[in-house]
Amino acid sequence: MSGAKNAALPILFSTLLGGKLEIGNVPALRDIRTALSLLGHLGIHAISLPGGNAPSVALDPVVESPDVWTGHFRFSEVDESSYEAPYDLVRTMRASILCLGPLLARRKRARVSLPGGCLIGARPVDMHLNAFVRMGANISIDHGYIDANTNGLVGCDIHLPYPTVTGTENILMAAVLAQGTTCIFNAAQEPEVTDLALSLKARGARIDGIGTSSIRIEGVSALSAGTHKVMWDRIEAGTFLLAGALLGEPLTVHGFDSDLLVSLMVALSEMGASFESHGHSVTVRRISSPRGTTIRTEPYPGFPTDMQAQILPLMAIANGSSTVVETVFENRFTHVMEMNRMGARIDIHGSRAFVRGGSVLEGASVMASDLRASAGLVLAGLVANGETVIQRVYHIDRGYERIERKLESLGARIKRVREEAVT
Ligand code: UD1
């Protein structure tokens, strides 16, 4: 597996807190390139360290070819004067909001384009902003930008109404350099939040309660130099486990701690899967007669909303019916229409999807609508009869490193083709 996108992104943005940082296991993804561009714009210099066939290159703004991606970078702050994250960079990646906390904490000023809505839901950032106001920031919204400044952030108690993942990460990063103690209650417990906290600790941040719902941060005046290796991507691992459960020979996923995805393993066991774990590897066998089940997406350690689209193809071919209750995002079923065009029988009622099993999926031309939706369509295409053509695969490049190469190496018949070649 590759390094985790959702852990790498906040760790990259934490370079705005100052101090030199070396980061390993950074995946070659579209979102990571966007983050590197934004960091370059904000005065953070990134050097790709040699390794494999890669030369040492200055990343200004980004390394273009993934063939020279070493995944190992050294970051340093070369210009502290910039504080604006422009719309062009933020609109392609909502996680750009993660620069707000570090900018406020270190440069005391931030102007960040509002991320706006996206296909899977409204995704507001009110909880981030309310927390920063409580910590002493003045915030106004003008012309689509969040304009924030402070004379210095001060620690306080933050009770989150919902355990928002990037919200927790943003507050955590700001609190590291705030004066005094910040306690985040009802914090997100996702392993990616833990990975960020560990990377901050490696640079001298004082954080207790890592991995729990109550995080206590004692502000420090500056961070020191440090190194960190990004955790493996558990969502990518889960996607490959589903590929193994759907078809083929036993499939072993390397670079995966099954403890971090227990909810998926439980759901797959209910559907008939069995697993063997050896250290950081897990083997799954194809489920010859999968059974239907019910899942409910929830914050960690519940079933991840980021795995919901990928389990639907297995539910579609399973014996009996299945139900998916989506509680995290209000509109995360855009892939269902496309899967139905491939022969799945899925009905949506509000936040629930009812899946009638026993379908034989047929290849079709389908449209990817978001990152995880496109991974679900790839899995549906693998198990469908005939050819499936997925358009707009740029969504999948945001979060899966060379998925077609990894699947091809397993024997899947999958190719990346130019759009003109399809039409
Ligand atoms: C992160 C992940 C994303 C994952 C999601 C849920 C990253 C880069 N992205 O997204 O892959 O699907 O967690 O596990 O790590 N909300 C508010 N106000 C806020 C913040 C959130 O109402 O200020 C709502 C959102 O609209 C959503 C829910 O809370 O309905 C969860 O959102 P959140 O946990 O913040 O997701 P992200 O951090 O955006």
Side-chain angles (χ1 to χ4, degrees):
M1 294 295 103
S2 300
K5 168 181 88 77
N6 286 357
L9 286 173
I11 294 170
L12 286 177
F13 283 114
S14 77
T15 57
L16 289 164
L17 291 168
K20 285 191 168 41
L21 178 61
E22 241 178 78
I23 313 177
N25 208 25
V26 180
L29 300 172
R30 212 182 161 89
D31 276 8
I32 298 293
R33 285 150 197 278
T34 306
L36 289 172
S37 293
L38 182 49
L39 286 171
H41 180 85
L42 290 168
I44 300 295
H45 188 67
I47 297 286
S48 166
L49 298 179
N53 62 352
S56 213
V57 280
L59 291 176
D60 192 13
V62 274
V63 172
E64 277 309 328
S65 163
D67 291 330
V68 296
W69 191 274
T70 64
H72 199 134
F73 295 91
R74 183 182 297 139
F75 293 89
S76 50
E77 190 180 48
V78 290
D79 175 15
E80 277 186 57
S81 61
S82 171
Y83 56 84
E84 180 165 322
Y87 175 67
D88 276 354
L89 289 168
V90 175
R91 78 188 158 90
T92 56
M93 186 182 72
R94 295 183 42 85
S96 309
I97 190 71
L98 284 166
C99 68
L100 181 57
L103 280 176
L104 258 181
R106 176 138 169 103
R107 302 188 188 173
K108 308 210 169 8
R109 178 94 209 258
R111 191 168 158 78
V112 180
S113 171
L114 266 173
C118 67
L119 266 179
I120 66 173
R123 297 181 86 171
V125 290
D126 53 316
M127 294 181 216
H128 305 227
L129 303 190
N130 290 342
F132 294 139
V133 168
R134 278 187 55 74
M135 293 173 80
N138 306 305
I139 297 189
S140 59
I141 309 281
D142 72 80
H143 299 90
Y145 276 77
I146 301 162
D147 210 319
N149 62 70
T150 178
N151 292 328
L153 295 179
V154 180
C156 64
D157 286 355
I158 310 275
H159 295 263
L160 288 173
Y162 185 91
T164 157
V165 175
T166 47
T168 302
E169 292 164 346
N170 230 344
I171 300 163
L172 174 60
M173 288 189 279
V176 155
L177 293 187
Q179 192 192 324
T181 307
T182 304
C183 293
I184 312 175
F185 298 102
N186 199 23
Q189 298 173 63
E190 266 68 4
E192 293 76 14
V193 179
T194 298
D195 208 35
L196 167 67
L198 293 175
S199 77
L200 293 167
K201 260 196 113 148
R203 295 154 74 193
R206 293 167 63 190
I207 309 171
D208 286 326
I210 294 175
T212 74
S213 61
S214 304
I215 306 178
R216 188 172 188 278
I217 307 114
E218 200 79 56
V220 294
S221 54
L223 290 182
S224 54
T227 59
H228 186 78
K229 181 181 167 199
V230 175
M231 66 182 282
W232 304 106
D233 197 316
R234 65 195 175 100
I235 302 299
E236 185 193 26
T239 305
F240 277 87
L241 284 182
L242 276 162
L246 273 169
L247 73 174
E249 303 285 317
L251 190 149
T252 302
V253 175
H254 298 291
F256 172 52
D257 286 316
S258 49
D259 311 1
L260 303 184
L261 212 51
V262 170
S263 55
L264 174 71
M265 315 281 274
V266 168
L268 285 178
S269 302
E270 282 165 8
M271 298 184 87
S274 59
F275 304 95
E276 280 162 44
S277 300
H278 343 260
H280 299 296
S281 304
V282 175
T283 301
V284 63
R285 291 187 157 65
R286 182 176 84 87
I287 317 177
S288 48
S289 349
R291 301 182 289 270
T293 191
T294 294
I295 59 158
R296 184 185 166 85
T297 66
E298 280 172 339
Y300 188 82
F303 191 95
T305 174
D306 282 355
M307 291 280 4
Q308 179 255 99
Q310 300 92 312
I311 202 171
L312 280 175
L314 186 60
M315 290 175 159
I317 64 165
N319 298 313
S321 54
S322 298
T323 305
V324 173
V325 187
E326 172 59 62
T327 75
V328 180
F329 292 111
E330 67 268 32
N331 185 28
R332 205 170 196 181
F333 285 127
T334 50
H335 41 280
V336 162
M337 290 283 279
E338 300 301 283
M339 288 184 189
N340 283 350
R341 293 183 53 247
M342 297 176 72
R345 292 169 301 167
I346 309 172
D347 296 315
I348 306 294
H349 294 283
S351 60
R352 282 162 200 263
F354 297 100
V355 188
R356 274 176 287 159
S359 299
V360 176
L361 298 185
E362 302 285 346
S365 203
V366 290
M367 193 78 85
S369 51
D370 74 49
L371 163 56
R372 305 303 169 187
S374 30
L377 291 174
V378 168
L379 293 180
L382 286 179
V383 80
N385 293 326
E387 191 176 84
T388 299
V389 178
I390 304 171
Q391 314 239 16
R392 300 194 182 162
V393 290
Y394 55 83
H395 286 296
I396 210 162
D397 294 330
R398 289 191 40 219
Y400 289 87
E401 193 178 64
R402 298 289 177 107
I403 193 170
E404 79 281 11
R405 286 210 188 161
K406 289 186 184 180
L407 286 169
E408 208 178 5
S409 74
L410 296 169
R413 282 174 293 178
I414 179 167
K415 288 254 168 308
R416 181 184 293 262
V417 287
R418 289 200 169 279
E419 201 145 345
E420 309 87 76
V422 175
T423 49

